[in-house]
Amino acid sequence: MRYSYFVSSILLCTLLTSCSKKQSDEIQPTKGTITESVYASGVIKAENQYTVYSTVSGVLQKSLVVVGQPITQGEQLFQIDSDKAALNTENARLAYQLSQEDNRYIQDKIADMETKVQVAKDKLALDQSVYNRNKNIKQYNVISEVDYEKVELSYKNSKSNYESALKQLSQLKAQLKNDQNRNNINLKINEKSQSDFTIKSAFSGELFDILVKDGTVITPQTPIAIIGKKNAYLLELDVDENDMVRVALGQKVVVTLDSYKGKVFDATVDKIYPIMDERSRTFKIEAHFVNTPPKLYPNLTAEANIVISTKKEVLTIPKSYLIDNQYVLVNNDEKRKVTIGLSDYQNAEILSGLQVGETIYKPK
């Protein structure tokens, strides 16, 4: 008797479980709102956030700022050992000063040559006048052929001497200009090279972090510090290449942060980088918060859904009830073709093939 009751209890329990399972696997399409979105993940960034690098190699001699300090554009941040650069600059300055004395010598030569040019010009004018007069009277046989040739030769020599003097004057002036420019440029290059050993801020903002210590050997590939705009943040998100064609400027973004569990924040897509990262096969986009969380920090992780489209009062079913994304089960095992529209992570819109009130079954 006791055994029979125990068996009956097991059978009843099995039947109840089976009925419960059957009922849970049977549903009817419902009308509601469905939102299609694209998943993205990324981090919080400060406005104008950038990593500071050096353009030269050397030993970091001294940090001139501290973490958390407000920074103004052009402010000196770090000093790199620049003894060699300072010596090069001093040598260039000495060379420039010596060149100024050489230039004064050239200027004296230019003055002398200008005088020679003027003398040659005056003589040319005189010999040309004599030549023209003798040329006019030659037809009357007033002057012998020999005397005429002497006058003509004298004129040609004067012309040649004047042109030669002009050419020498031009060369001296060009030499003076080139020497001045060359030494001046060389000095400026060395002064610029020396200034590169003092790292300055490209933007105003806040110093978030210093990544190296004094005495560290750095190169142009060494990240030194991170600076960004204080209390102004944006979302930097990565979107898979398969979804990127559906993302556009101005779309709504629903954001969740690990730092604010259970809360959702709205943002808007306002920048799309038009090139794919070949390593991750993703595109980078930027979005700004519509309702900014009360407190944020750079590099906080974020997950987001970019809203592509939304429909209200549409017929929907769970995606788990679809077979091959185009069939559903009716009458327990009968496959019926349906046409789907929008879909999210859980539900799919049914455009045709099902009506409200019909029962469908979950595939096994």
Side-chain angles (χ1 to χ4, degrees):
M1 217 32 203
R2 186 179 300 172
Y3 174 78
S4 178
Y5 173 76
F6 180 69
V7 172
S8 298
S9 297
I10 293 177
L11 290 173
L12 178 61
C13 201
T14 303
L15 288 171
L16 288 172
T17 302
S18 176
C19 289
S20 174
K21 184 177 180 181
K22 182 179 180 181
Q23 289 175 356
S24 67
D25 288 346
E26 297 177 4
I27 65 164
Q28 293 180 342
T30 59
K31 282 201 170 184
T33 300
I34 189 166
T35 300
E36 185 179 26
S37 63
V38 166
Y39 174 78
S41 63
V43 295
I44 303 296
K45 293 274 188 174
E47 294 273 4
N48 295 331
Q49 180 175 326
Y50 77 102
T51 303
V52 179
Y53 290 90
S54 170
T55 58
V56 295
S57 298
V59 177
L60 183 61
Q61 200 171 58
K62 187 179 180 181
S63 298
L64 307 176
V65 287
V66 295
V67 173
Q69 175 181 331
I71 302 296
T72 57
Q73 185 176 4
E75 182 175 351
Q76 295 184 356
L77 305 176
F78 304 97
Q79 182 64 50
I80 300 173
D81 182 11
S82 60
D83 289 345
K84 184 177 179 181
L87 290 173
N88 290 336
T89 301
E90 186 60 28
N91 285 335
R93 186 174 288 108
L94 290 173
Y96 179 75
Q97 291 172 354
L98 288 173
S99 71
Q100 296 305 301
E101 297 194 8
D102 291 340
N103 290 342
R104 282 192 286 272
Y105 171 71
I106 296 176
Q107 286 173 343
D108 291 341
K109 290 181 67 176
I110 289 175
D112 291 341
M113 185 53 64
E114 286 176 339
T115 301
K116 291 181 179 179
V117 167
Q118 187 60 47
V119 171
K121 183 178 181 182
D122 293 340
K123 188 173 187 310
L124 172 62
L126 177 61
D127 289 345
Q128 186 176 17
S129 176
V130 173
Y131 169 71
N132 288 336
R133 284 199 305 270
N134 283 276
K135 185 179 181 181
N136 290 332
I137 64 174
K138 182 177 181 292
Q139 59 182 323
Y140 301 108
N141 295 320
V142 177
I143 184 173
S144 67
E145 189 68 32
V146 173
D147 289 338
Y148 176 76
E149 289 177 354
K150 287 181 179 179
V151 169
E152 184 180 27
L153 181 60
S154 178
Y155 162 66
K156 289 181 178 179
N157 286 337
S158 295
K159 184 177 181 182
S160 176
N161 290 336
Y162 174 66
E163 291 174 349
S164 177
L166 280 177
K167 186 176 181 180
Q168 291 180 52
L169 178 61
S170 177
Q171 288 174 342
L172 284 172
K173 287 183 177 179
Q175 180 184 349
L176 177 63
K177 184 177 180 180
N178 290 338
D179 288 347
Q180 287 177 330
N181 289 341
R182 181 174 61 255
N183 288 287
N184 188 38
I185 290 172
N186 188 43
L187 177 60
K188 287 182 178 179
I189 289 174
N190 281 276
E191 287 176 340
K192 175 64 173 63
S193 297
Q194 186 177 358
S195 70
D196 288 341
F197 285 82
T198 300
I199 302 174
K200 299 178 182 180
S201 175
F203 301 100
S204 297
E206 180 178 358
L207 181 64
F208 291 127
D209 198 7
I210 296 176
L211 307 175
V212 293
K213 295 181 180 180
D214 292 354
T216 303
V217 177
I218 61 174
T219 69
Q221 290 76 41
T222 305
I224 301 174
I226 298 175
I227 293 176
K229 192 173 180 181
K230 186 177 180 180
N231 297 327
Y233 297 94
L234 56 85
L235 286 156
E236 190 176 279
L237 302 171
D238 294 323
V239 178
D240 188 88
E241 64 173 316
N242 296 319
D243 298 322
M244 193 60 214
V245 293
R246 297 189 289 168
V247 177
L249 295 175
Q251 288 175 331
K252 179 181 177 181
V253 184
V254 180
V255 184
T256 58
L257 302 168
D258 288 343
S259 302
Y260 290 91
K261 293 188 182 296
K263 294 187 178 181
V264 176
F265 302 94
D266 291 337
T268 304
V269 176
D270 56 14
K271 188 173 184 179
I272 297 174
Y273 290 82
I275 187 170
M276 185 181 71
D277 186 320
E278 293 184 351
R279 291 174 298 176
S280 62
R281 312 299 298 178
T282 60
F283 285 82
K284 183 168 70 174
I285 69 168
E286 288 182 5
H288 278 83
F289 285 104
V290 175
N291 54 329
T292 306
K295 186 178 287 188
L296 289 174
Y297 298 96
N299 298 337
L300 289 178
T301 58
E303 292 189 335
N305 286 293
I306 304 168
V307 178
I308 305 302
S309 57
T310 301
K311 283 186 178 181
K312 297 181 178 180
E313 289 298 308
V314 296
L315 197 65
T316 65
I317 64 170
K319 292 174 72 174
S320 58
Y321 281 72
L322 286 170
I323 301 173
D324 297 331
N325 217 37
Q326 58 180 333
Y327 297 100
V328 293
L329 288 178
V330 296
N331 300 326
N332 282 325
D333 58 358
E334 179 186 341
K335 288 173 65 174
R336 180 189 295 177
K337 188 170 183 177
V338 293
T339 304
I340 65 170
L342 295 184
S343 62
D344 56 24
Y345 291 107
Q346 294 182 331
N347 299 319
E349 175 192 9
I350 301 299
L351 298 176
S352 64
L354 278 178
Q355 300 294 329
V356 175
E358 288 190 277
T359 301
I360 60 174
Y361 301 87
K362 191 173 185 178
K364 296 180 180 179

